[in-house]
């Protein structure tokens, strides 16, 4: 009994504060957002708090599939913003969403190279050159699926030296100079600043990742949750997201 | 001595301690049972025998064996020097060597990256020699050795300290030079400690995750060990992740049983002294 209680407490602790029972628009709003949204959603949460005095927005950032797993295991959250439709659909199929998810942003791949581009990568085809130490995401995660799709579309046989679990791991290997090039998102290159250089490639348009957002069925604060969704999908949200490198939502 | 005897015979434990002990046991056992409860038995065999799973298991076993061997080759001298040698800053060295026990593995990975990586401390020299460590199986073995070496050194140093150096001293007074004493007396004496230390190092290598992910990368058949495969499978196929986790739990149970189960209290005084009476005999006999 005690152990069970301790486990429940632990779970609740991880997920942050549960929303209070009232639906007055005040209180705590818990948002689960994909890791790539860290900077933009932190800014939007502050903006929302300023617009709604008395409301406290807690954002938990992690990989989309981790967050989806936590939600399906009962973590108390009001809003979920995913980096792909697959994880959102998983929750939809399980009946854990309120209403239809809305697409609010898109993200495309970019080639990140260490400062100075030591391996002289200038195009998507260069990634397949023998001896190039390319790092990508594994196919199981969205950024890897996008890389695999591009590789197939253009018949470029990519043979990465490592297929990482997350896009941040790919970026880390480029920043440290271990990799000659990495396939990451445009937003990652933007947030890495001058620690990496970016090689634009037109082929990237062939694999666009869409970001859906939805209110969760377990939310007891649906009015506030809906208002937060409106902010994210509205003009202010679009502006913040565009600054981070996200593309506009194209349904 | 009298106090020791009295304590050994006294078995009274307050009831409330039992209650807390049960909770403590549950903290460990309950999550393991939860894994077993979540296993999709219908698909268990196909999931654990899939090509990526077998490749990851094979890589894990090969690299763990290699790093255990490396731990023995490097750890035995280190433990001996730490237990028997006398040199300045010995205490500091011991503390430093044990650091990987308490460091988060990801910190170890970062440290290794800046040692053996391309831009690392030794990276330039290695590149000249034509060696690229990052993203290779060698990197996995290095990461595992880094985290597992302290386990071997600790258990071996413990065995050396409790064993004392009386037999070595006797062998030396009979005229055996240090290398003969080491080979004929010390080595046979520390064998049980070495065996349990090696099993622990193997187990730790098998479970290595953070340092490998940070330093070695993740590629099937090259650097993606079983823990990395589990972490990846979790993204798309939680059932496969659970099934593979159970495989690792089973291996861990086998390893613990091997280290602590069979030689019931393999490091108790009785067994060590039992070994000791036989071991020095040939050494003494050989010394003229």
């Amino acid at each position: 009994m005690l152990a069970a209680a301790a486990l429940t407490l632990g779970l609740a602790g991880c997920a942050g504060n549960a929303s209070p029972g009232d639906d007055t628009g005040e209180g705590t709003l818990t948002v689960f957002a994909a890791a790539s949204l860290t900077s933009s959603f932190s800014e939007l949460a502050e903006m929302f708090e300023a617009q709604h005095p008395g409301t406290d927005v807690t954002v938990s950032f992690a990989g989309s599939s981790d967050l989806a797993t936590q939600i399906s295991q009962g973590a108390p959250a009001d809003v979920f913003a995913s980096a792909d439709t697959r994880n959102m659909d998983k929750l939809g199929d399980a009946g854990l969403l309120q209403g239809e998810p809305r697409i609010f942003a898109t993200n495309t791949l970019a080639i990140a190279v260490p400062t100075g581009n030591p391996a002289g990568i200038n195009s998507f085809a260069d990634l397949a050159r023998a001896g190039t130490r390319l790092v990508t995401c594994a196919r199981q995660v969205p950024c890897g699926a996008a890389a695999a799709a591009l590789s197939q579309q253009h018949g470029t046989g990519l043979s990465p030296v490592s297929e990482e679990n997350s896009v941040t791991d790919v970026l880390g290997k480029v920043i440290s100079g271990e990799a000659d090039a990495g396939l990451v998102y445009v937003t990652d290159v933007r947030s890495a600043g001058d620690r990496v250089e970016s090689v634009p490639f037109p082929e990237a348009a062939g694999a666009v990742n869409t970001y859906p957002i939805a209110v969760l069925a377990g939310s007891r604060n649906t009015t506030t949750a809906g208002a937060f969704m409106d902010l994210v999908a509205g003009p202010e949200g679009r502006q913040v997201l565009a600054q981070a490198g996200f593309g506009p939502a194209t349904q | 001595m009298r106090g020791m005897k009295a304590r050994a015979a006294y078995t009274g434990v307050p009831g409330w301690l039992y209650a807390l002990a049960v909770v403590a046991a549950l903290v460990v056992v309950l999550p393991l049972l939860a894994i077993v409860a979540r296993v999709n038995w219908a698909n268990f065999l196909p999931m654990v025998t899939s090509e990526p799973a077998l490749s990851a298991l094979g890589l894990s076993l090969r690299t763990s064996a290699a790093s255990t061997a490396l731990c023995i080759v490097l750890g035995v001298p280190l433990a001996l020097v730490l237990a028997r040698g006398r040199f300045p800053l010995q205490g500091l060295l011991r503390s430093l060597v044990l650091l990987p026990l308490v460091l988060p593995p990801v910190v170890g990975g970062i440290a290794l990256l800046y040692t053996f990586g391309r831009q690392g401390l030794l990276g330039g020299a290695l590149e000249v020699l034509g060696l690229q460590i990052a993203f290779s199986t060698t990197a996995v073995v290095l990461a595992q050795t880094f985290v597992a070496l302290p386990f071997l050194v600790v258990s071996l140093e413990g065995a050396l300290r409790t064993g004392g150096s009386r037999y070595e001293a006797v062998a030396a007074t009979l005229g055996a030079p240090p290398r003969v004493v080491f080979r004929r007396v010390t080595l046979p004496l520390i064998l049980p400690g070495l065996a349990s230390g090696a099993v622990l190092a193997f187990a730790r290598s098998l479970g290595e995750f953070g340092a490998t992910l940070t330093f070695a990368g993740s590629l099937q058949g090259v650097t993606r060990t079983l823990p990395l495969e589990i972490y990846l499978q979790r993204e798309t196929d939680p059932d496969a992740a659970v099934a593979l986790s159970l495989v690792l739990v089973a291996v861990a149970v086998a390893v613990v049983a091997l280290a602590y189960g069979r030689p019931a209290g393999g490091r108790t005084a009785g067994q060590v002294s039992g070994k000791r009476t036989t071991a020095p005999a040939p050494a003494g006999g050989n010394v003229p």
Side-chain angles (χ1 to χ4, degrees), chain A:
Chain A
M1 278 298 278
L2 208 62
L7 287 174
T8 318
L9 271 176
L11 199 66
C14 288
N17 295 332
S19 41
D22 58 87
D23 202 359
T24 57
E26 291 196 353
T28 307
L29 188 72
T30 305
V31 178
F32 276 19
S36 47
L37 295 166
T38 304
S39 65
S40 26
F41 265 49
S42 302
E43 197 180 331
L44 286 169
E46 269 178 42
M47 203 182 271
F48 189 80
E49 284 173 350
Q51 290 171 0
H52 298 78
T55 305
D56 187 26
V57 182
T58 311
V59 195
S60 172
F61 298 104
S64 300
S65 67
D66 278 339
L67 294 172
T69 307
Q70 285 172 22
I71 292 166
S72 58
Q73 295 294 321
D78 299 293
V79 177
F80 177 45
S82 171
D84 63 352
T85 44
R86 186 173 55 90
N87 283 297
M88 188 61 90
D89 292 346
K90 215 157 62 180
L91 294 185
D93 293 345
L96 293 168
L97 302 181
Q98 277 185 33
E100 283 297 302
R102 271 153 77 178
I103 305 293
F104 67 95
T106 54
N107 212 347
T108 46
L109 290 182
I111 299 171
V113 295
T115 328
N117 196 355
I121 305 289
N122 292 311
S123 67
F124 184 61
D126 281 352
L127 297 179
R129 217 165 45 193
T132 301
R133 298 222 262 169
L134 169 70
V135 176
T136 65
C137 292
R139 277 158 199 266
Q140 286 88 337
V141 288
C143 52
L150 289 185
S151 165
Q152 205 171 17
Q153 280 168 25
H154 300 278
T156 317
L158 300 180
S159 50
V161 292
S162 183
E163 296 169 354
E164 305 283 336
N165 278 60
S166 79
V167 71
T168 45
D169 286 334
V170 177
L171 195 65
K173 261 129 194 154
V174 176
I175 291 174
S176 70
E178 289 308 311
D180 294 326
L183 275 174
V184 298
Y185 288 121
V186 171
T187 52
D188 300 308
V189 173
R190 191 75 63 95
S191 68
D194 53 9
R195 292 178 297 167
V196 296
E197 287 176 17
S198 166
V199 178
F201 67 112
E203 294 91 335
V208 178
N209 254 41
T210 49
Y211 283 57
I213 188 168
V215 177
L216 295 165
S219 172
R220 287 188 288 173
N221 216 346
T222 42
T223 316
T224 318
F228 184 78
M229 255 176 71
D230 290 341
L231 174 73
V232 170
E236 286 157 309
R238 275 202 297 275
Q239 197 193 342
V240 169
L241 289 159
Q243 269 165 14
F246 286 100
T250 44
Q251 293 263 22

